[in-house]
Amino acid sequence: MNVQQTTTQSQEKKYIRCHEPVFWGLFGAGGMLTAFLTPVMVLVTGLLIPLGIIDADHLSYDKLHTFVSHWYGAAIVLVLIALPLWHTLHRIFHSLHDLGIKRGRDWQQVICYGFAFAVSVFVFTLLLQMLTF
């Protein structure tokens, strides 16, 4: 056995587990959803309904409640609320670093991601209560 091979084998890379890919995944999914759906929501609620092109009754409380009362409607609403929220708070967390606010980085992370998690759980529980089986 060569001395170089022994040294290489004893200096194996040690990988450190990191939670950051999870947050980057939520950030990316929320950003994609926001980029595609925000212009559509502005178009529908800001132009098409006020101009009378789309009937406002399509977005009435009763119809939206009926939609959210089914599991697929609740899942869609949860995704539409939670992912952009994770995207926004991940962006705020990294913007604090870009602005030079480096003290309390752990607390910033807990506050940003904790708030996104808490609101996501809150929306999930509200939607769960609305489900009809």
Side-chain angles (χ1 to χ4, degrees), residues 74 123-133:
V123 169
F124 177 75
T125 55
L126 285 178
L127 292 171
L128 197 59
Q129 292 173 358
M130 294 176 72
L131 286 179
T132 56
F133 294 101

Side-chain angles (χ1 to χ4, degrees), residues 113-127:
Y113 297 137
F115 183 73
F117 179 76
V119 172
S120 298
V121 169
F122 177 71
V123 169
F124 177 75
T125 55
L126 285 178
L127 292 171

Side-chain angles (χ1 to χ4, degrees), residues 25-37:
L26 291 168
F27 169 77
M32 186 271 314
L33 194 65
T34 302
F36 283 119
L37 292 183

Side-chain angles (χ1 to χ4, degrees), residues 13-105:
K13 280 189 169 181
K14 292 184 180 181
Y15 294 102
I16 299 172
R17 290 186 179 235
C18 180
H19 60 278
E20 195 67 21
V22 173
F23 298 124
W24 275 103
L26 291 168
F27 169 77
M32 186 271 314
L33 194 65
T34 302
F36 283 119
L37 292 183
T38 300
V40 174
M41 292 183 340
V42 168
L43 178 69
V44 170
T45 60
L47 290 174
L48 299 179
I49 289 177
L51 292 174
I53 298 171
I54 294 179
D55 189 19
D57 289 337
H58 291 301
L59 292 178
S60 69
Y61 175 80
D62 293 330
K63 287 190 179 184
L64 290 178
H65 187 273
T66 303
F67 176 70
V68 174
S69 295
H70 297 288
W71 68 269
Y72 56 88
I76 290 170
V77 170
L78 179 64
V79 166
L80 289 175
I81 292 173
L83 288 180
L85 182 68
W86 280 95
H87 173 81
T88 302
L89 288 164
H90 185 77
R91 186 171 290 278
I92 288 171
F93 172 67
H94 283 284
S95 295
L96 291 171
H97 179 73
D98 294 342
L99 291 171
I101 303 171
K102 296 177 182 170
R103 289 186 61 170
R105 188 150 172 87

